[in-house]
Amino acid sequence: MRKNIVAGNWKMNKNLTESQALITEIRGIVRDENTNKAEIIICPTYLALASASKLLDGSTVKLGAQNCHFEDNGAFTGELSASMLKSVGVSHVIVGHSERRQYFNETNEMLAKKASAAINQGLTVLFCVGETQSERESGDHFNVIKNQISEGLFHLTPKDMELIVIAYEPVWAIGTGLTASSDQAEEVHAYIRSLISEKFGETIADHTSILYGGSVKPDNAVELFSRTNIDGGLIGGAALKARDFFDIIKAIK
Ligand code: PEP
């Protein structure tokens, strides 16, 4: 069956010293209290990845990056490739976060290439999709999600799909304190699974973890994670406090 996963997206937060302190704290709590019910991933800034990899040596906590370029190397000032991430011990990478789509103009076409580049390096992709508030209000959210999934992922092979985790993150719920109700989230998660099933078949759809992201906190995680098609969460703000992050992990039953 598919895995339960809780991933923390630290965004552009924490300098090196602060990152090391938070990683050490998370590592300690996971070692002492781990429930083993979920795979745990943390995604600090690029700055902290190499040192995070050393700090996580021997821990069950996995290391993710927040982005990668689709080329392997070359004249792309300021960018990092999937192979570079792999070389410092990264196993996961977020692709298509709404902030990258919105502020860095990342298109479905670019994200499709990024997903392939990461998979070619054996990295697991946390592929983000989600509608804006106006898209939801106009009832267009299913279409938006369908385009993001089909243009971003449908070029992949069934084998590639083993390295895909999908995160449904309604843009209106990210960092706003507004969470999708568990009914709203479950409805979209079930829809995403049906899209994967139509394209790749029921077995692959059944094995694909689909995470919810958008203002997940310890007090709403239990309800969200109890739903059939919600296999964990991608956590922003609450992942910056070790205790809150772990309390969210514990909401996986
Ligand atoms: C995110 O950025 O992926 C996210 C879900 O953020 P937050 O939990 O803060 O809404």
Side-chain angles (χ1 to χ4, degrees):
M1 262 317 268
R2 56 189 180 256
K3 269 187 210 161
N4 291 313
I5 298 170
V6 178
N9 172 16
W10 294 12
K11 312 193 188 197
M12 197 174 71
N13 291 296
K14 307 278 177 196
N15 65 25
L16 182 58
T17 314
E18 292 162 348
S19 298
Q20 289 167 332
L22 182 55
I23 292 160
T24 306
E25 205 183 343
I26 291 171
R27 185 197 153 120
I29 298 180
V30 170
R31 183 194 52 224
D32 297 343
E33 305 179 33
N34 196 6
T35 62
N36 289 327
K37 299 246 168 68
E39 180 167 272
I40 303 166
I41 305 160
I42 55 169
C43 306
T45 65
Y46 282 152
L47 174 75
L49 288 176
S51 128
S53 173
K54 292 202 178 89
L55 288 171
L56 292 176
D57 191 28
S59 167
T60 54
V61 178
K62 303 266 191 332
L63 185 60
Q66 299 173 19
N67 179 33
C68 69
H69 198 271
F70 49 78
E71 295 291 351
D72 231 19
N73 45 55
F76 300 102
T77 302
E79 291 291 314
L80 286 180
S81 68
S83 64
M84 290 168 183
L85 296 173
K86 189 181 175 187
S87 75
V88 296
V90 165
S91 54
H92 291 69
V93 59
I94 299 172
V95 170
H97 192 280
S98 63
E99 288 151 15
R100 301 241 24 123
R101 292 176 186 265
Q102 187 180 350
Y103 304 128
F104 302 96
N105 303 319
E106 295 197 353
T107 60
N108 290 335
E109 193 188 345
M110 280 164 78
L111 299 173
K113 291 203 264 179
K114 288 185 180 213
S116 290
I119 289 168
N120 287 341
Q121 293 300 323
L123 302 183
T124 297
V125 174
L126 307 177
F127 190 84
C128 301
V129 297
E131 80 284 0
T132 62
Q133 183 149 25
S134 62
E135 288 163 344
R136 177 159 281 263
E137 281 164 3
S138 63
D140 209 23
H141 48 296
F142 289 113
N143 260 332
V144 170
I145 304 283
K146 186 178 188 172
N147 286 342
Q148 291 172 337
I149 295 273
S150 60
E151 291 174 22
L153 298 178
F154 282 5
H155 64 296
L156 298 175
T157 66
K159 177 85 185 140
D160 290 342
M161 286 301 290
E162 289 172 15
L163 291 175
I164 292 291
V165 171
I166 295 170
Y168 169 56
E169 300 206 303
V171 179
W172 48 271
I174 297 180
T176 57
L178 292 174
T179 317
S181 69
S182 77
D183 283 346
Q184 285 173 320
E186 172 64 18
E187 184 184 37
V188 176
H189 282 230
Y191 177 65
I192 292 171
R193 207 176 297 289
S194 75
L195 294 173
I196 302 296
S197 180
E198 274 167 35
K199 171 71 184 171
F200 295 104
E202 207 177 321
T203 309
I204 289 175
D206 220 42
H207 282 78
T208 303
S209 300
I210 307 178
L211 315 183
Y212 169 78
S215 299
V216 178
K217 303 280 181 280
D219 60 3
N220 57 28
V222 174
E223 165 72 15
L224 285 160
F225 296 170
S226 70
R227 303 303 295 260
T228 317
N229 286 291
I230 302 181
D231 308 310
L234 179 55
I235 319 300
L240 295 170
K241 292 200 179 111
R243 182 36 65 187
D244 284 357
F245 186 53
F246 195 72
D247 284 347
I248 292 170
I249 294 164
K250 279 197 307 192
I252 299 270
K253 299 289 182 233

